[in-house]
Amino acid sequence: MSLVKKTFSIKDLENLSGIKAHTIRIWEKRYNLLSPERTQTNIRLYSLLSLQKLLNITLLYENGLKISKIAQLKNEEIPLKVREIIDEKSIKNNMMNAFKLSMINFDQSLFYNTYNKLVVDLSFREIFKEYFIPLLQELGYLWQSNTISTTHEHFITNLVKQKVYTNTEKVHRSEYVNNKSFVLFLPENEIHELGILYLNYELNLRG
DNA sequence: TAGACATTCAAGCTGCCTGT
DNA sequence: ACAGGCAGCTTGAATGTCTA
């Protein structure tokens, strides 16, 4: 018997993709996602291509795309979309890891370098929301699990704070766009002020 | 007008049945 | 074992309606 399989049963697809056979049938029926060959006795036989397609679909699906949306994609578009997600993820992972490394080693210039790479393509808001917030969230867990100390936390939050300050200064306008005033304050004894500093940035950005 | 609450819809799962 | 149909259930998102 050949070790290289040429056709796959619906059970094979279930095992390889983690999508239940019943669900695969439903998708097939509702969205024509796959159109397998059939044996004389009407049993589905999937090609390697079908398997590939299902695995791609699974990846998109697990990344939050609705099955109804995926079904609208043309066959050629699916691998492109998959690559987009993978690229985006690995770039993001690399950058996140760089930030974490800079924290562990108290490496200020690594922090700045990573930031400077990001700022080429992203707005400060995007960097703050997509990188700094997750980073700070993770700090919490790392601290809880004794992986890092408060010194690390202070080191990185201060660098982030710096970035908020400099960006706030950059967008600050001498003339206000409207005459509204905002008073920002934290609850008593709340020491984590980054959120409020960022809000201040957003307000300045809007004049 | 914001927030609470209700309704609707898509998607998926499970169980049951019948047929091959 | 697999196919396919049906009913019933859950979940989450989107949308609509009511009310303080």
Side-chain angles (χ1 to χ4, degrees):
Chain A
M1 201 178 94
S2 165
L3 286 172
V4 183
K5 267 191 147 187
K6 293 201 179 81
T7 56
F8 305 85
S9 69
I10 196 160
K11 202 73 192 167
D12 289 334
L13 264 70
E14 172 178 331
N15 291 333
L16 290 164
S17 69
I19 308 286
K20 286 274 190 306
H22 206 331
T23 308
I24 296 173
R25 290 192 198 103
I26 296 279
W27 285 359
E28 187 183 312
K29 188 181 157 196
R30 290 184 189 165
Y31 312 106
N32 287 315
L33 274 187
L34 300 169
S35 24
E37 306 276 314
R38 303 278 185 142
T39 65
Q40 286 105 330
T41 53
N42 208 26
I43 307 295
R44 289 173 172 81
L45 281 181
Y46 296 91
S47 66
L48 187 61
L49 270 173
S50 298
L51 171 62
Q52 217 170 39
K53 184 176 176 186
L54 181 65
L55 290 176
N56 279 336
I57 289 170
T58 308
L59 190 136
L60 296 181
Y61 185 67
E62 283 170 350
N63 277 279
L65 268 83
K66 294 272 176 192
I67 197 66
S68 51
K69 298 286 168 199
I70 298 172
Q72 286 167 12
L73 295 174
K74 289 187 189 124
N75 267 343
E76 318 80 83
E77 291 176 319
I78 293 177
L80 294 178
K81 205 93 187 172
V82 167
R83 194 152 307 163
E84 256 174 51
I85 288 178
I86 290 176
D87 283 355
E88 208 175 286
K89 281 209 155 166
S90 57
I91 288 173
K92 208 165 179 177
N93 257 331
N94 280 337
M95 296 294 187
M96 265 321 228
N97 287 338
F99 278 136
K100 277 185 227 163
L101 263 182
S102 77
M103 173 183 67
I104 298 293
N105 295 325
F106 298 106
D107 187 340
Q108 196 167 0
S109 55
L110 179 60
F111 180 90
Y112 288 143
N113 288 339
T114 312
Y115 178 86
N116 289 337
K117 275 183 210 161
L118 286 177
V119 90
V120 177
D121 298 315
L122 301 176
S123 67
F124 181 65
R125 179 186 293 152
E126 286 166 328
I127 296 176
F128 191 84
K129 288 195 175 158
E130 285 168 37
Y131 289 89
F132 287 168
I133 290 181
L135 184 65
L136 294 168
Q137 252 164 6
E138 211 164 320
L139 286 197
Y141 299 128
L142 290 173
W143 181 77
Q144 273 176 31
S145 59
N146 267 330
T147 315
I148 59 165
S149 67
T150 47
T151 326
H152 291 105
E153 194 184 343
H154 287 152
F155 172 75
I156 208 81
T157 47
N158 274 315
L159 289 173
V160 172
K161 244 182 238 176
Q162 260 185 42
K163 286 297 164 197
V164 179
Y165 283 134
T166 50
N167 277 280
T168 305
E169 199 176 341
K170 233 183 274 176
V171 298
H172 180 74
R173 307 177 198 186
S174 48
E175 307 224 337
Y176 291 113
V177 170
N178 57 53
N179 55 3
K180 283 183 192 154
S181 295
F182 294 85
V183 180
L184 307 179
F185 58 91
L186 286 170
E188 215 175 335
N189 297 326
E190 172 61 59
I191 53 162
H192 294 90
E193 57 189 354
L194 250 168
I196 209 167
L197 291 175
Y198 178 74
L199 185 55
N200 181 44
Y201 161 79
E202 287 282 349
L203 289 172
N204 272 280
L205 187 63
R206 290 164 169 72

